Amino acid sequence: MTTSFIRPEPPYYAVIITTRPAADLEGYEAMSARMAELGEAQPGYLGRESQTGEDGRDLVVIYYADEASITAWKAHPEHLQAQRLGRERWYSSYSVEVARVERAYAYDRD
Amino acid sequence: MTTSFIRPEPPYYAVIITTRPAADLEGYEAMSARMAELGEAQPGYLGRESQTGEDGRDLVVIYYADEASITAWKAHPEHLQAQRLGRERWYSSYSVEVARVERAYAYDRD
């Protein structure tokens, strides 16, 4: 899990992605790692939280400074290809939600 | 994982919760189940996505129709007690973000 509780003051944006894997996952892990790497390099990238369940389902939240950053990343050529492959091969279903974080609070014992 | 891709048209709200467990998790599972049950019974509850990592970290997204529902649930007496116990016992740290879902799309192969 890549994680960072350190984010700027709201408002900023969160992209919430839920995926259910299909039967054939060949090539998925490499593409997923490549997309994480590319996505982090996009302007406006703030961080991500992700967990994979025992059933292979992913829950991922990726944070960006603004909507323009999200739109630009969605239209990145290599990302578009990954999205197409995801639909054709790796995902039986997925959900993507773009949300504006309006307030945030955190607790850290130390 | 309790999941529901079936949500209303945006706008609606997402509460994104990331937690890191402390050493002593006695009572945590029972309380967590109780809070999920109570939270679902709140007016405006729309659904939730959650995954627990191998390291015990939880990533949870809970959906509500509006901010008033979230505020009411946050102030629920039994939930307040759970929040206090979470800080005192179960969590070394956590992050809570309240976000307004502005657009959403989904893919389902079947």
Side-chain angles (χ1 to χ4, degrees), chain A residues 84-104:
Chain A
R84 184 178 55 76
L85 286 169
R87 285 188 295 271
E88 287 175 8
R89 290 188 197 168
W90 300 314
Y91 299 129
S92 67
S93 62
Y94 63 74
S95 153
V96 179
E97 292 162 309
V98 178
R100 183 178 185 270
V101 177
E102 299 188 334
R103 56 181 194 276

Side-chain angles (χ1 to χ4, degrees), chain B residues 1-108:
Chain B
M1 176 168 168
T2 309
T3 186
S4 163
F5 282 3
I6 302 161
R7 287 188 278 273
E9 286 296 304
Y12 51 89
Y13 278 78
V15 183
I16 304 163
I17 305 169
T18 314
T19 63
R20 299 180 190 183
D24 176 14
L25 292 177
E26 193 187 335
Y28 175 64
E29 205 166 318
M31 179 64 93
S32 182
R34 172 68 179 152
M35 287 305 111
E37 180 188 53
L38 263 185
E40 282 179 31
Q42 297 304 299
Y45 176 84
L46 297 177
R48 68 187 267 138
E49 306 283 350
S50 73
Q51 290 287 10
T52 302
E54 289 175 7
D55 53 7
R57 292 182 185 183
D58 283 328
L59 176 57
V60 182
V61 184
I62 310 176
Y63 297 94
Y64 285 97
D66 48 46
E67 283 211 81
S69 305
I70 295 168
T71 307
W73 169 228
K74 193 183 176 197
H76 186 289
E78 204 171 331
H79 191 199
L80 284 175
Q81 188 188 21
Q83 291 168 52
R84 184 177 56 75
L85 286 169
R87 285 187 295 272
E88 287 175 9
R89 290 188 196 169
W90 299 314
Y91 299 129
S92 68
S93 62
Y94 63 74
S95 152
V96 179
E97 294 161 308
V98 178
R100 182 178 185 269
V101 177
E102 299 187 335
R103 55 181 197 277
Y105 48 96
Y107 166 77
D108 197 324

